[in-house]
Amino acid sequence: MARRSITVGSIQTSYGPDLETNIAKTETFIREAAGRGAEVILPSELFEGIYFCTRQDPKWFETARPVMEHPCVLRLRELAKSLGVVIPISFFEKDGPRYYNSIAIADADGEILGVYRKSHIPDGPGYQEKYYFRPGDTGFRTWSTKHGKIGVGICWDQWYPETARAMVLQGAEVLFYPTAIGSEPYDASLDTHLQWQRAMQGHAVSNAVPIVAANRIGLEDNAGVKQKFYGHSFISDHRGELVQKFDAEDEGVLVHTFDLDLIESYRADWGFFRDRRTDLYAKSII
């Protein structure tokens, strides 16, 4: 019997204010990743425009759309079908009077398998997301795609070990985290990219699961509020090793292949899931 494998891709690039330009740019990198063998390809968070959450402005609500009306979802689902790849598509979702920071999972035949809505919503200088987004109501989810079972969290979700654990408990074989993170307005000298990477590397180790992170780069100006995104997108293996990585200003795609059978055996051997004490957790966690 042939061994099971999955080839993943991560896109790192800058984005500007024009929707069509950003979609076309993302499509170009997806085609490049697919040409290098990638089967599941991750663009970064809210690639439809600049990261608008650096300030509060009601005009941005006008850019939200229902999942099956959003131009990013419609365009990239067709590309997924054309290339035979899976694409977790980040978009600003409108659901009646509710707004979410969401991911639509486009399978390799173009079918939208469903939507995950960001669970953890940050609120602080430069990341004022609570003004725009409700906390997600989908719960953590996994997706049985044509290329493997994947889990997807969004940006701030990636700092929480519960997110990763919940998705792996549901059978996720690889975790994907689209991101928009960079400088901190209150301290221009603060660079958190190592903490950002290490948090996810820890999830990889404790769940014996590969992780794919895609961040944007570049300096963006949102009506006078400037934010520089620090890149450092990466692919980690199931032991937490960075097997592919970008620096702060690199632009392009990362691609790596994982042996899923080997990882499954490794996970069983380490016993992280065998030795869990769920009888104690409920008494200890608030």
Side-chain angles (χ1 to χ4, degrees):
M1 181 181 296
R3 297 186 68 84
R4 296 181 62 245
S5 67
I6 188 170
T7 302
V8 299
S10 171
I11 297 171
Q12 177 167 295
T13 188
S14 59
Y15 288 109
D18 184 68
L19 172 68
E20 175 57 34
T21 300
N22 292 336
I23 293 176
K25 190 173 192 180
T26 303
E27 289 177 327
T28 297
F29 284 119
I30 290 172
R31 291 183 185 279
E32 179 184 341
R36 292 169 55 186
E39 299 165 315
V40 185
I41 303 167
L42 183 68
S44 59
E45 181 186 20
L46 296 173
F47 64 86
E48 62 200 67
I50 64 169
Y51 176 74
F52 54 83
C53 306
T54 51
R55 60 189 295 269
Q56 297 180 15
D57 189 332
K59 74 175 185 179
W60 293 108
F61 290 109
E62 299 173 10
T63 67
R65 297 287 185 275
V67 58
M68 296 311 297
E69 297 178 19
H70 200 287
C72 289
V73 176
L74 298 179
R75 285 276 292 276
L76 293 194
R77 72 176 296 200
E78 289 302 315
L79 185 61
K81 180 178 180 179
S82 172
L83 298 175
V85 300
V86 176
I87 308 173
I89 306 167
S90 177
F91 70 106
F92 188 10
E93 182 188 9
K94 176 177 170 58
D95 178 20
R98 298 167 293 275
Y99 296 84
Y100 299 97
N101 186 340
S102 298
I103 290 284
I105 307 297
D107 206 354
D109 59 0
E111 179 186 357
I112 298 299
L113 299 180
V115 170
Y116 167 70
R117 292 167 171 166
K118 187 173 182 177
S119 300
H120 303 93
I121 309 298
D123 184 31
Y127 304 92
Q128 298 182 38
E129 294 196 14
K130 280 188 168 66
Y131 175 76
Y132 296 102
F133 312 127
R134 290 169 60 97
D137 58 359
T138 58
F140 305 117
R141 304 189 64 182
T142 57
W143 313 94
S144 294
T145 76
K146 295 188 181 301
H147 296 303
K149 194 165 187 178
I150 66 172
V152 183
I154 305 172
C155 201
W156 193 226
D157 288 333
Q158 69 208 354
W159 295 88
Y160 292 84
E162 296 89 349
T163 304
R165 178 53 54 86
M167 291 189 288
V168 178
L169 281 170
Q170 294 178 49
E173 298 173 300
V174 182
L175 302 184
F176 293 81
Y177 291 106
T179 299
I181 191 169
S183 58
E184 303 291 344
Y186 62 88
D187 185 352
S189 67
L190 185 60
D191 182 350
T192 62
H193 86 265
L194 288 176
Q195 294 97 312
W196 174 74
Q197 289 181 334
R198 288 167 182 159
M200 286 179 278
Q201 288 173 268
H203 304 331
V205 172
S206 59
N207 292 284
V209 67
I211 285 179
V212 182
N215 190 22
R216 64 173 69 200
I217 58 171
L219 179 66
E220 297 180 3
D221 189 337
N222 184 5
V225 178
K226 295 182 180 181
Q227 178 81 303
K228 184 175 177 60
F229 295 89
Y230 58 49
H232 289 283
S233 303
F234 67 89
I235 300 173
S236 164
D237 71 10
H238 54 291
R239 299 166 300 183
E241 298 287 344
L242 299 185
V243 293
Q244 300 287 339
K245 63 179 180 178
F246 277 136
D247 288 327
E249 298 181 359
D250 295 329
E251 188 170 49
V253 296
L254 302 172
V255 175
H256 194 81
T257 300
F258 291 105
D259 182 330
L260 294 177
D261 289 332
L262 181 151
I263 294 171
E264 184 177 20
S265 175
Y266 174 94
R267 185 182 300 116
D269 181 50
W270 274 70
F272 293 136
F273 291 85
R274 178 197 64 208
D275 297 338
R276 294 181 69 240
R277 289 295 308 276
T278 56
D279 57 317
L280 300 180
Y281 302 155
K283 301 174 183 178
S284 306
I285 298 174
I286 298 175

